[in-house]
Amino acid sequence: MFKLYYQKKASDSERVELMNFLENDHYQEQIKDLISNLITDDSKDNTLAQEVSNDILTSIFQTTRNEEVDNNVAESSDQPRSERYHVVNNWRYWLAAAVISGIAVLGGYSLIPSHPQTLPLQNFVGKDLPPGNDRAQLALWDGTIVELGNGVDSKVPQNSGVKINISEGEIISDKKSYSVGYNTLSTPLGGQYKVILPDGSKAWLNAGSSIRFPTAFTGDKRTVAMSGEVYFEIQRNKQMPFTVQLSDKKVDGGNMEVTVLGTHFNISSYADEPSIKTTLVEGAVEIKQGNVKKVLLPGEQARVSHGANKSAILIKTVDTQGVVAWKEGRFEFNGNVQEIMRQIARWYNVQVRYEGNTDKKAFTGAISRKNNISDVLKMLELTGEVQFVIDNGTIVVKPVH
């Protein structure tokens, strides 16, 4: 049945049966075997490496040509809040949608005897770029600067209020610190890091991000300030709410606050993105922008456009696993190629240049952030819609057609 679907010979009832099969997690290993068998008839001498097999399951990219439909849904304010902007980024649905049109392209993955192979771009020029890693800079309240990660033997003064766990890529606030000052943790492009705050709350910083936090929380609330992208897991304390402050530099007085009691949420506030996005995974948060306040429910995302002249908070339902995939070591793409390339540029610390019209090229899919950049771009190239040239630290993006 799987092969008939791939060959476009399946009946309507067979297609429905296959969709039900793909939606069942119990059959994930069998699905991997089916993919492998479709690509090669010699399953004894050639096996699909585990890492490549997993990437195939979560990296079947599908060119999206019906963006106008999605945009029309996005603009409709008549739909119930729970239905607006609903996005599904489950690998089973990517696979189901791509079996007909995408599996043939998997021939681009060489089945390998025992070890994964690198998949170089045909237009590759110069040195390949490795993925980002655990590294950051810590500016302590007394002016001391500490470099973290990248093989540096990092040490902090005893009275700094923090400890460093190099093996885990994290700093830990010392709860015994009584002198209150503010430390700032910053990740460069190509870096990530984690901080455990004085109350035990946790914050993961994506590339090109920062968080300013005190050595101890005092008073009636806990307050930090951030930029870039940070995922938070907040310890509950009804007597001392937790507040994240953000600043929109494009608007005077355009400060935004996210207030929580105890919850898991992600904030993306990169200046090169069109909006600030707060995504709630668990619990509840209140978003305040100017005089406007909105409360988020789990699975919802609040968007505040950069540079908006008026306070406006747009709420939509999203796939939270896709939003926070970066924290788990994955890219999950669901957008146009320029949005995707901004993520790639930050993680690999690379410049991007566009040649030709690529605005309407959009993709859905996922791949590990542990891959070299050539492997990630190869995945995108397999759609047949875009091509890339890596030239000494710059990626050139071109349309195929």
Side-chain angles (χ1 to χ4, degrees), residues 15 36 42 53 80 101 105 137 139 170 175 186 264 272 295 309 333 339 343-344 347 350 361 381 384:
R15 284 195 293 270
S36 180
D42 187 4
S53 179
S101 61
V105 102
Q137 184 182 83
E170 67 182 16
K175 297 180 180 180
S186 303
H264 299 180
D272 61 351
V295 175
N309 294 323
F333 301 134
E339 178 183 336
Q343 296 181 51
I344 292 174
W347 184 235
V350 64
K361 305 299 183 183
E381 275 198 347

Side-chain angles (χ1 to χ4, degrees), residues 244-249 251-258 276 287-292 304 311:
V244 181
Q245 295 181 338
L246 303 98
S247 178
D248 188 347
K249 297 180 180 179
V251 179
D252 291 337
N255 294 332
M256 176 176 149
E257 287 188 349
V258 178
I276 299 172
I287 311 295
K288 180 181 179 183
Q289 170 72 5
N291 296 323
V292 178
V304 176
S311 298

Side-chain angles (χ1 to χ4, degrees), residues 100-364:
I100 292 178
S101 61
I103 288 221
V105 102
L106 296 179
Y109 284 92
S110 299
L111 289 182
I112 45 185
S114 57
H115 302 289
Q117 292 179 352
T118 301
L119 303 171
L121 298 170
Q122 290 183 346
N123 297 319
F124 180 78
V125 178
K127 187 178 180 181
D128 200 359
L129 301 176
N133 53 30
D134 294 332
R135 55 195 176 99
Q137 184 182 83
L138 177 63
L140 296 170
W141 59 272
D142 64 354
T144 303
I145 302 295
V146 181
E147 299 295 335
L148 303 169
N150 231 9
V152 177
D153 184 15
S154 305
K155 295 181 180 179
V156 295
Q158 290 186 350
N159 64 345
S160 64
V162 297
K163 299 177 182 178
I164 300 174
N165 185 340
I166 298 176
S167 62
E168 294 296 325
E170 67 182 16
I171 61 173
I172 305 169
S173 297
D174 185 356
K175 297 180 180 180
K176 297 180 180 179
S177 176
Y178 297 104
S179 58
V180 179
Y182 281 85
N183 300 324
T184 300
L185 179 68
S186 303
T187 54
L189 297 177
Q192 64 181 14
Y193 225 78
K194 174 185 174 184
V195 55
I196 300 179
L197 299 169
D199 64 339
S201 296
K202 301 174 183 178
W204 286 259
L205 279 67
N206 203 349
S209 304
S210 71
I211 183 170
R212 183 175 183 266
F213 60 97
T215 55
F217 289 118
T218 60
D220 58 357
K221 65 179 182 178
R222 299 164 287 168
T223 302
V224 301
M226 63 150 285
S227 65
E229 185 166 24
V230 182
Y231 176 82
F232 292 92
E233 292 185 356
I234 304 304
Q235 291 290 327
R236 180 172 291 275
N237 185 340
K238 292 184 178 180
Q239 285 69 45
M240 189 181 287
F242 192 99
T243 300
V244 181
Q245 295 181 338
L246 303 98
S247 178
D248 188 347
K249 297 180 180 179
K250 297 180 181 180
V251 179
D252 291 337
N255 294 332
M256 176 176 149
E257 287 188 349
V258 178
T259 302
V260 304
L261 293 176
T263 190
H264 299 180
F265 61 101
N266 189 85
I267 300 179
S268 175
S269 63
Y270 289 113
D272 61 351
E273 296 290 347
S275 60
I276 299 172
K277 302 175 185 177
T278 302
T279 306
L280 182 62
V281 177
E282 178 183 311
V285 300
E286 179 187 79
I287 311 295
K288 180 181 179 183
Q289 170 72 5
N291 296 323
V292 178
K293 295 182 180 180
K294 293 285 182 72
V295 175
L296 286 185
L297 301 177
E300 292 184 333
Q301 181 182 88
R303 290 191 178 188
V304 176
S305 296
H306 279 303
N309 294 323
K310 60 180 180 179
S311 298
I313 303 174
L314 176 66
I315 307 295
K316 70 176 195 175
T317 302
V318 297
D319 168 34
T320 57
Q321 290 185 352
V323 172
V324 303
W326 67 268
K327 171 183 167 288
E328 306 301 328
R330 302 189 313 277
F331 289 111
E332 288 205 7
F333 301 134
N334 184 28
N336 63 56
V337 70
Q338 294 190 13
E339 178 183 336
I340 291 170
M341 293 310 298
R342 287 196 294 270
Q343 296 181 51
I344 292 174
R346 286 191 286 264
W347 184 235
Y348 292 93
N349 189 16
V350 64
Q351 298 295 315
V352 179
R353 188 173 79 248
Y354 299 90
E355 294 183 0
N357 184 10
T358 60
D359 293 346
K360 295 184 179 181
K361 305 299 183 183
F363 308 91
T364 298

Side-chain angles (χ1 to χ4, degrees), residues 61 109 119-124 128-129 331 333 337 340-345 348 350-352 363 367-368 371-391 394-397:
F61 287 84
Y109 284 92
L119 303 171
L121 298 170
Q122 290 183 346
N123 297 319
F124 180 78
D128 200 359
L129 301 176
F331 289 111
F333 301 134
V337 70
I340 291 170
M341 293 310 298
R342 287 196 294 270
Q343 296 181 51
I344 292 174
Y348 292 93
V350 64
Q351 298 295 315
V352 179
F363 308 91
I367 188 171
S368 171
N371 289 318
N372 282 355
I373 195 170
S374 61
D375 296 328
V376 177
L377 298 181
K378 183 64 177 179
M379 285 291 194
L380 290 168
E381 275 198 347
L382 290 177
T383 64
E385 293 293 327
V386 290
Q387 57 183 327
F388 303 93
V389 176
I390 305 177
D391 189 359
T394 297
I395 302 174
V396 182
V397 186

Side-chain angles (χ1 to χ4, degrees), residues 19-28 31 91-92:
M19 293 307 105
N20 292 332
F21 175 73
L22 292 172
E23 290 180 13
N24 193 327
D25 285 324
H26 180 71
Y27 299 116
Q28 185 169 351
I31 294 170
W91 69 266
R92 297 186 300 269

